[in-house]
Amino acid sequence: MNDISPRAAPAWSAVFSMTLGVFGLVTAEFLPVSLLTPMASDLDISEGMAGQTVTATAAIALVTSLLITAATRRIDRRYVLLGFSTLLIVSNLLVALAPNMPLLLLGRVLLGIALGGFWTMSAATVMRLVPEESVPRALSMIFSGVSVATIVAAPMGSFFGDIIGWRNVFLIAALFGVLALLVQFATLPRMAPNAQTRLKTLVEVLRRPMVGLGILAAAMIFAGHFAFFTYIRPFLETVTRVDVNGISSILLGFGLANFLGTFLGGFMLERNMRFTQIVMPATMGILGLGLSGVGGIPMADALMVALWGMAFGTVPVAWSTWLTRTVPDEAESAGGLLVAAIQFAIASGAAVGGLVFDTSGAIGVFAVSGVVLLMAALLILFGVRAQAAIPT
């Protein structure tokens, strides 16, 4: 295959192959959530210990996001991406065949490397696969894989785990990885690396005008969202007062709306990126305050949760697009910073949300989440721009 220059003719088949990879990665990431009990029983460990497999994946993804660009700076990006899909396959096979906790953790560590590396390079890769004006649409396609995986992983993992066993579920996930690898092998073009990238490049990029503020704003949005999302079930149980079927229905509505939001984000970003960046966290903030203030009516709560899901569906697309326009010359390094900030925000949002939950309940969590999101919208309004931050 021949090299292609940035913004060449659209390679939509390659974008689709990346979407398959995203689906496989995110499905594997969240499968343990729905399979904790049988995994723990089979391996003779506690469910809490089995849950650390998710933590290990996130922690390794954070570290990888900061190191992967420099570590692979001399390798064709086609081969790096194929390597991530290979790690996905090996990870799922190790988990499926693991006789003990150490091998299970090893499999999840390999998945963390694949996750962190893929997300770090995703925006920069898209810039090489499609023209600039098509970047938001391509990113929305890729992030739709996240939404589908979020909808599918937990319910389907639990359903098939009861029928064929949790190990076979991970074997099926490995097959998805094989499919993604084959399609990527057939469609991804060669993409020259940036041999000049070093670890110090991360600091240089972070010091550019608007980059630090933009990453801070994105981190605030993700922290606010995951504080909300982590404690949505207790809210629905204690405030909305719906049963298990009602909770499942509302969460399904959230997932479907989130899926639609990824495509809405691509449509809006092609027309006005700055408007999208400001309005969506502001909408989520208002919904968080609304749920904390007047929550308790099932239909109204279900609608607000669905609207939240749709608004959040635009967020990853928006900030990946912002990155490609703000730091086009170092999109991989900036992507690593953004992924690391998001991973930290996810962990801290859930942790701080837990402290608030212990003192003020789910209503308090939603109120704090709403305030953080409105603060993020104000920061974007007054401090973040979409122009390129390239040193002269």
Side-chain angles (χ1 to χ4, degrees):
M1 294 187 180
N2 298 322
D3 282 89
I4 60 170
S5 58
R7 301 179 180 86
W12 291 111
S13 59
V15 174
F16 174 72
S17 76
M18 293 182 67
T19 305
L20 287 177
V22 167
F23 174 78
L25 286 165
V26 177
T27 296
E29 181 182 13
F30 291 114
L31 271 181
V33 173
S34 61
L35 297 169
L36 277 184
T37 300
M39 288 173 67
S41 176
D42 191 18
L43 295 171
D44 196 24
I45 57 177
S46 69
E47 291 185 7
M49 183 66 70
Q52 295 307 311
T53 59
V54 178
T55 305
T57 301
I60 296 299
L62 190 157
V63 175
T64 300
S65 66
L66 295 174
L67 302 179
I68 194 67
T69 299
T72 62
R73 66 181 184 273
R74 299 186 185 280
I75 305 175
D76 187 316
R77 270 29 198 155
R78 164 181 157 83
Y79 299 127
V80 175
L81 292 170
L82 292 175
F84 295 147
S85 292
T86 302
L87 285 178
L88 168 63
I89 298 167
V90 175
S91 165
N92 284 320
L93 290 176
L94 275 175
V95 172
L97 302 174
N100 51 43
M101 186 65 178
L103 278 180
L104 181 69
L105 281 177
L106 176 59
R108 300 299 292 179
V109 164
L110 294 180
L111 179 64
I113 296 172
L115 271 168
F118 182 91
W119 286 126
T120 295
M121 297 184 179
S122 59
T125 302
V126 165
M127 291 174 67
R128 299 184 179 207
L129 297 179
V130 300
E132 182 177 7
E133 63 272 13
S134 298
V135 166
R137 195 185 319 164
L139 287 170
S140 70
M141 180 185 295
I142 289 175
F143 281 102
S144 70
V146 178
S147 299
V148 174
T150 303
I151 295 170
V152 169
M156 296 302 286
S158 178
F159 176 76
F160 284 109
D162 288 340
I163 297 174
I164 61 176
W166 70 271
R167 293 182 184 274
N168 287 321
V169 172
F170 278 97
L171 288 177
I172 292 174
L175 290 177
F176 279 121
V178 171
L179 175 63
L181 178 63
L182 292 175
V183 178
Q184 288 168 1
F185 185 84
T187 60
L188 284 175
R190 294 183 62 188
M191 292 171 279
N194 181 2
Q196 303 302 314
T197 299
R198 300 288 191 277
L199 286 177
K200 68 177 183 180
T201 307
L202 294 172
V203 178
E204 294 169 355
V205 169
L206 192 60
R207 294 175 61 182
R208 294 187 188 183
M210 298 176 294
V211 173
L213 281 178
I215 289 177
L216 174 61
M220 291 172 66
I221 295 171
F222 277 87
H225 169 73
F226 278 93
F228 160 88
F229 192 68
T230 302
Y231 298 97
I232 188 170
R233 177 161 183 162
F235 178 88
L236 295 175
E237 289 174 335
T238 61
V239 179
T240 309
R241 297 187 182 280
V242 292
D243 59 16
V244 174
N245 290 333
I247 293 172
S248 299
S249 298
I250 291 173
L251 291 179
L252 178 61
F254 173 93
L256 293 173
N258 183 259
F259 176 73
L260 293 175
T262 61
F263 293 100
L264 174 65
F267 176 82
M268 294 179 64
L269 289 163
E270 287 181 338
R271 286 150 182 80
N272 194 322
M273 185 177 76
R274 183 165 168 74
F275 175 80
T276 307
Q277 284 182 296
I278 295 169
V279 167
M280 291 310 174
T283 299
M284 293 162 65
I286 292 169
L287 289 168
L289 294 178
L291 285 163
S292 66
V294 299
I297 304 172
M299 288 300 296
D301 289 357
L303 177 61
M304 286 191 280
V305 168
L307 288 174
W308 180 297
M310 181 173 289
F312 182 71
T314 70
V315 170
V317 185
W319 286 96
S320 295
T321 302
W322 170 84
L323 183 152
T324 65
R325 297 182 183 177
T326 307
V327 199
D329 61 320
E330 286 291 351
E332 286 186 4
S333 295
L337 290 169
L338 182 61
V339 172
I342 289 171
Q343 291 291 336
F344 179 78
I346 291 171
S348 59
V352 173
L355 295 176
V356 175
F357 183 83
D358 289 340
T359 57
S360 306
I363 289 179
V365 174
F366 281 25
V368 171
S369 176
V371 170
V372 170
L373 285 158
L374 289 175
M375 290 172 61
L378 290 174
L379 177 59
I380 299 164
L381 177 63
F382 294 109
V384 179
R385 296 289 185 272
Q387 66 201 58
I390 303 175
T392 56

